[in-house]
Amino acid sequence: MTDNRFLKEKLTESQNKAVWHRDGSLLVIAGPGSGKTRVITNRIAALVEQGVSPANICAITFTNKAAEEMRNRVVAMDVPGGVHLSTFHSLCVRILRKFSQAADTPDNFSIYDDSNQKSCIKEAIKQAELDIKNFPPARMLEAISRLKNNLQNADEFIAANVGDYFSQCVGKVYRNYQKILKQNNALDFDDLLMATALLLKNNPGVRSQLNQRFKYLMVDEYQDTNHAQYQIARGLALEHGNICVTGDPDQSIYGWRGADIGNILAFEQDWPNAVIVKLEENFRSGPEILAAADRLISANKSRKQKRLIPALPAGAEIISQCLEDERAEASYVAGFVRRLLDSGEEASQMAVFYRVNSMSRAIEEAFIENHIPYQIVRGVEFYGRKEIRDMLAYLKLIVNPADEQAMVRIINTPGRGIGKTTIDKLVAYSASKAIGLFDVIRNCERLESIPAGTKAKLKKFAEMIVGFQKDIEMPVADLMDKVFRNTGLYNELKAEAATEDGGKSPPLENVAELINSAERFDMQEQGGLVDFLQRIALFSDTDTYESKSGKVSLMTLHCAKGLEFDNVAIIGLEHGILPHERSIDSAREIEEERRLFFVGITRARKRLCVTLSRYRTVHGMTNRTVDSQFLFEAGLRYQDTGQRQSSFVESDVKEPSGVYYETEISDENQQPFSAGQLVSHKKFGLGRVKEFHNLGENSIVVVQFKTGQVKPLMLKYANLSIIE
């Protein structure tokens, strides 16, 4: 060690071990609240103190918020500039733009978001002459995303699945989809990862350059990497072996989007000489909260053993409550929050978590009724507003004239007399002649089917875009303001505002906020329009979270990852919600659902409130619910008397007897039902028992009925008759 010029924070023994490890591979198993971010930022400082150039350090994390926090901490430690600290996707964009020729990607590519992807996939399905009902766009995009994450292109997939009709259809749609993206000089989010991973794999020269540049690699949240990200990390460290990964298998919650928990579980196999450091001391949550989390996660098998050691004294509060329905549940949560607010607790230090977005509606209504300020952490809707998408389409077209999606959106926005018939002719001619749409418009005099007056309008539009392109080096905010006014968008929105009795126009205010964000970018960032558009394209839900908003935060459990609050409420602890109904038939997915609840619990510092309801309305149907097995596993019991409320008391809790949703039954003689039994239900008819979960008075029997439905039934209410 040196004189510690940059390291000012006091570290534990295990944190110090991770921070001062220099060369070779390092795996840091970091439990929740264990100071993982502190370790990463201090490790950066320690490397610099040991003589490593900041320009040779690359740190990768998963959210812009996390990257920004780390960047701010490094700056506050007075570490010289030059460290590359970003998300995976941001790093990939940077690499692909720099090595565009080697990667076979245009250097001015557009990044297509969900809306762009849906338009492209619909066209790809149409070109494959398939029925959109049988091949839904969302399902096709999911399939293509999985293939890209596994670095498999369309031709390889088609060749590997000869004779499989559905796979052949998926392959054709995939191939068409990629062709459409290429025509638009566009990449989707998965392309960013796939193209970079293949570049590192197939181009030793580029890989060597990047290994020389980034001699020390750090990857945060390694448990959430998919195969493409795994290959990127491996490629960036292949020649020097100086790779440090941090993460926690118990917090791997993104399997549904391709994350592979096996990447962190097998790290020592990939890097046999790896040093392993466990950060087990928790500086966030009270011991009562940690005890519940530890009991819960111990039921998982796919994990690395570690302890949750509380650094805080006892005194945390856990409350569990069963209500009549979702409205009563929301009212209870609002009362819980209101009492805390009235006692002096800060709204910014409170959060309500739920499994799916639709569950927020009842909470919102209860909060409005009780005058509770709240923010929903799902803010990408701002960039989905029409006026914002229109502005961004103009900017994308300035950067990438081949972006047909952007072109079609704004060629007649605001209205300039270029109708749909004309646009369809232009698109058809572009496709038939394999000429870019912008080039067709610039040379529209060749199209005899378009009237002279319309051609003049098209030429004027093209000249306007070319004029903007000459100003591309302007500060982003200045260029955006110029586009806003010169395209006619400003006058259109101003005219709309005039019809609103002199009131403020939300669209005008929204565009003003977009320009304000560009001004902040111009002041804080080094880069131009391309970089600004890239930042917006990679914007995520969690980036909208404002820690000092003065409001209670409402968000899904997935969004809660990486955050912490004094007071947390988690609603909907019911079978079919948490765990989610789509995970019920898979032991692997049940483990991920358990990890999701574990993440939710460990966000709380002082108080945790867990609720469920007897009845819940889903998709317009009100059904009696079944308690989540996770309540039992975590020891979160409620009294089934009176108001059915109970404060958690550790001494009353029995340790969970094992992993549930495993179909083996330990002692069939002591079980009222066993797997395979034929049973009869008064309402659902005949069925066979799939599983039985011994949860005491709340035991659950899962039955697959002749109708094909799989129903979890609470034993004490099921009234099942055994047929054989």
Side-chain angles (χ1 to χ4, degrees):
M1 298 185 191
T2 67
D3 60 354
N4 292 13
R5 289 174 297 152
F6 309 120
L7 278 71
K8 308 292 192 298
E9 298 175 303
K10 185 178 180 181
L11 303 174
T12 66
E13 182 180 348
S14 56
Q15 288 174 338
N16 259 313
K17 185 178 180 181
V19 163
W20 288 101
H21 174 94
R22 175 168 168 165
D23 296 327
S25 51
L26 172 66
L27 170 62
V28 180
I29 300 296
S34 61
K36 175 169 60 71
T37 301
R38 172 180 291 190
V39 166
I40 294 171
T41 53
N42 277 270
R43 178 170 159 74
I44 291 171
L47 287 172
V48 175
E49 288 200 2
Q50 295 174 89
V52 176
S53 168
N56 292 143
I57 301 172
C58 177
I60 309 173
T61 188
F62 268 79
T63 68
N64 295 315
K65 280 283 188 185
E68 181 181 6
E69 180 186 353
M70 290 181 189
R71 199 176 295 116
N72 291 339
R73 287 198 188 191
V74 170
V75 169
M77 296 167 77
D78 298 322
V79 175
V83 176
H84 180 90
L85 215 166
S86 74
T87 64
F88 262 107
H89 288 92
S90 294
L91 175 63
C92 289
V93 171
R94 178 172 175 172
I95 291 173
L96 294 176
R97 294 205 194 278
K98 181 174 182 178
F99 299 102
S100 58
Q101 188 172 357
D104 193 26
T105 57
D107 59 3
N108 65 335
F109 60 80
S110 295
I111 302 173
Y112 271 8
D113 60 16
D114 292 345
S115 178
N116 298 133
Q117 289 177 258
K118 287 176 184 176
S119 298
C120 292
I121 199 69
K122 287 178 181 178
E123 178 60 27
I125 295 169
K126 180 180 177 182
Q127 290 179 8
E129 299 181 341
L130 297 171
D131 188 342
I132 204 168
K133 294 180 180 178
N134 297 326
F135 296 88
R139 187 178 179 188
M140 292 297 99
L141 284 172
E142 287 176 8
I144 292 170
S145 178
R146 285 196 299 271
L147 292 172
K148 289 183 178 182
N149 286 336
N150 289 322
L151 307 183
Q152 191 170 17
N153 64 37
D155 291 338
E156 291 169 344
F157 181 68
I158 291 171
N161 291 278
V162 175
D164 184 330
Y165 173 74
F166 181 78
S167 294
Q168 291 293 306
C169 292
V170 171
K172 290 176 184 177
V173 173
Y174 183 7
R175 187 159 54 193
N176 293 344
Y177 175 70
Q178 290 305 109
K179 188 183 298 182
I180 293 169
L181 289 178
K182 189 170 185 177
Q183 289 168 352
N184 285 268
N185 274 3
L187 278 69
D188 64 18
F189 299 117
D190 296 313
D191 284 327
L192 298 175
L193 301 176
M194 181 179 182
T196 305
L198 293 176
L199 175 65
L200 288 165
K201 177 183 178 183
N202 301 328
N203 196 309
V206 170
R207 184 174 65 239
S208 182
Q209 280 191 61
L210 290 169
N211 272 251
Q212 285 298 312
R213 167 64 197 281
F214 301 129
K215 295 180 181 178
Y216 291 87
L217 177 68
M218 283 181 273
V219 183
D220 189 22
E221 304 288 7
Y222 194 66
Q223 77 281 348
D224 289 329
T225 53
N226 60 32
H227 181 65
Q229 290 161 332
Y230 162 82
Q231 291 292 351
I232 291 167
R234 184 171 177 79
L236 289 172
L238 195 60
E239 296 182 11
H240 53 65
N242 297 325
I243 179 172
C244 165
V245 304
T246 60
D248 180 7
D250 290 341
Q251 297 183 70
S252 178
I253 59 174
Y254 295 109
W256 52 276
R257 68 182 188 194
D260 184 358
I261 192 176
N263 292 343
I264 193 168
L265 294 176
F267 184 81
E268 299 102 307
Q269 297 174 27
D270 292 336
W271 306 92
N273 297 319
V275 172
I276 314 298
V277 176
K278 292 183 179 181
L279 305 181
E280 298 177 307
E281 197 169 9
N282 182 288
F283 302 94
R284 176 191 300 155
S285 305
E288 296 84 357
I289 293 172
L290 292 182
D294 217 0
R295 271 189 291 269
L296 171 75
I297 205 64
S298 66
N300 271 8
K301 293 181 177 179
S302 297
R303 62 189 301 255
K304 286 182 177 291
Q305 281 304 128
K306 69 175 187 308
R307 298 171 297 166
L308 295 178
I309 304 173
L312 300 179
E317 180 183 11
I318 303 181
I319 301 170
S320 58
Q321 171 77 33
C322 180
L323 291 309
E324 185 66 15
D325 56 25
E326 66 268 18
R327 290 178 296 279
E329 178 184 52
S331 179
Y332 176 80
V333 171
F336 169 75
V337 169
R338 171 48 64 194
R339 287 191 295 275
L340 291 175
L341 289 173
D342 291 344
S343 70
E345 294 282 339
E346 295 181 25
S348 294
Q349 284 300 323
M350 300 183 202
V352 180
F353 303 152
Y354 34 81
R355 180 61 179 84
V356 292
N357 281 312
S358 60
M359 297 175 70
S360 71
R361 175 52 55 191
I363 299 292
E364 287 184 73
E365 292 174 354
F367 276 24
I368 291 171
E369 184 177 339
N370 286 273
H371 307 290
I372 297 172
Y374 67 91
Q375 63 171 336
I376 297 184
V377 183
R378 193 174 71 242
V380 291
E381 286 97 335
F382 176 80
Y383 294 104
R385 294 184 171 106
K386 180 184 183 302
E387 62 275 11
I388 300 300
R389 295 190 70 84
D390 290 343
M391 276 295 300
L392 293 177
Y394 273 106
L395 300 177
K396 289 178 181 179
L397 195 60
I398 293 168
V399 170
N400 175 18
D403 191 334
E404 187 176 308
Q405 292 267 317
M407 176 74 75
V408 170
R409 181 177 186 89
I410 49 86
I411 192 172
N412 196 45
T413 302
R416 49 179 62 94
I418 302 173
K420 184 178 184 303
T421 301
T422 297
I423 296 172
D424 289 344
K425 289 179 180 179
L426 294 169
V427 171
Y429 186 86
S430 170
S432 66
K433 301 295 184 182
I435 302 173
L437 183 58
F438 190 62
D439 289 333
V440 170
I441 292 171
R442 293 181 68 181
N443 300 284
C444 60
E445 63 273 0
R446 302 175 184 174
L447 280 70
E448 297 180 359
S449 61
I450 294 180
T454 304
K455 289 179 181 178
K457 295 170 184 174
L458 291 169
K459 297 285 281 187
K460 184 176 180 181
F461 170 80
E463 290 168 0
M464 178 180 67
I465 298 299
V466 171
F468 291 145
Q469 289 173 334
K470 294 176 182 177
D471 297 324
I472 200 168
E473 299 300 325
M474 291 175 64
V476 178
D478 293 345
L479 177 56
M480 194 182 297
D481 186 69
K482 183 175 182 178
V483 170
F484 187 37
R485 295 180 184 280
N486 291 8
T487 58
L489 281 174
Y490 172 75
N491 289 334
E492 181 181 63
L493 296 182
K494 188 177 180 182
E496 289 178 6
T499 66
E500 299 178 3
D501 299 325
K504 291 184 179 180
S505 167
L508 267 178
E509 292 178 351
N510 291 336
V511 176
E513 176 53 34
L514 183 67
I515 296 174
N516 288 339
S517 71
E519 289 178 349
R520 292 191 292 271
F521 175 85
D522 289 331
M523 289 188 291
Q524 300 170 4
E525 304 283 341
Q526 291 184 342
L529 180 58
V530 171
D531 302 282
F532 179 74
L533 290 174
Q534 170 189 322
R535 191 171 80 163
I536 289 177
L538 301 179
F539 192 84
S540 66
D541 281 349
T542 51
D543 294 329
T544 66
Y545 167 66
E546 296 181 24
S547 60
K548 298 179 181 179
S549 66
K551 300 175 182 178
V552 180
S553 296
L554 276 56
M555 66 186 80
T556 65
L557 283 158
H558 284 98
C559 278
K561 181 76 173 295
L563 303 178
E564 56 184 35
F565 304 87
D566 284 346
N567 307 291
V568 166
I570 306 176
I571 66 172
L573 261 293
E574 299 144 25
H575 188 82
I577 292 181
L578 187 65
H580 195 275
E581 60 184 353
R582 287 195 299 266
S583 69
I584 289 171
D585 291 329
S586 167
R588 177 181 59 81
E589 292 180 15
I590 284 290
E591 289 209 351
E592 178 154 321
E593 293 288 300
R594 188 178 286 113
R595 292 193 292 268
L596 189 58
F597 187 35
F598 174 82
V599 166
I601 291 174
T602 54
R603 299 311 93 191
R605 294 192 189 101
K606 300 193 300 187
R607 292 180 189 84
L608 173 67
C609 175
V610 177
T611 65
L612 66 155
S613 63
R614 293 187 187 92
Y615 296 90
R616 190 173 297 275
T617 302
V618 179
H619 305 308
M621 295 184 63
T622 301
N623 294 309
R624 187 175 183 92
T625 66
V626 174
D627 294 8
S628 170
Q629 66 189 84
F630 298 159
L631 286 168
F632 175 81
E633 293 169 355
L636 303 182
R637 306 295 186 87
Y638 59 85
Q639 299 296 325
D640 196 2
T641 57
Q643 294 183 336
R644 296 173 61 118
Q645 178 182 358
S646 69
S647 292
F648 171 75
V649 181
E650 187 170 351
S651 60
D652 292 340
V653 177
K654 298 177 182 177
E655 289 296 323
S657 58
V659 181
Y660 303 109
Y661 279 84
E662 296 294 323
T663 55
E664 303 143 301
I665 296 174
S666 58
D667 186 350
E668 290 191 9
N669 293 326
Q670 296 182 14
Q671 306 284 353
F673 293 98
S674 59
Q677 279 185 315
L678 183 65
V679 296
S680 177
H681 186 274
K682 186 175 181 180
K683 178 179 178 181
F684 302 117
L686 292 175
R688 287 201 181 273
V689 174
K690 288 174 64 67
E691 303 159 20
F692 179 79
H693 309 298
N694 188 357
L695 309 180
E697 65 172 345
N698 294 320
S699 292
I700 297 169
V701 58
V702 181
V703 181
Q704 181 165 15
F705 291 97
K706 294 288 187 179
T707 59
Q709 290 179 301
V710 177
K711 292 280 187 181
L713 304 170
M714 188 169 280
L715 183 61
K716 60 186 176 183
Y717 302 123
N719 292 323
L720 287 173
S721 300
I722 298 176
I723 305 300
E724 63 178 41

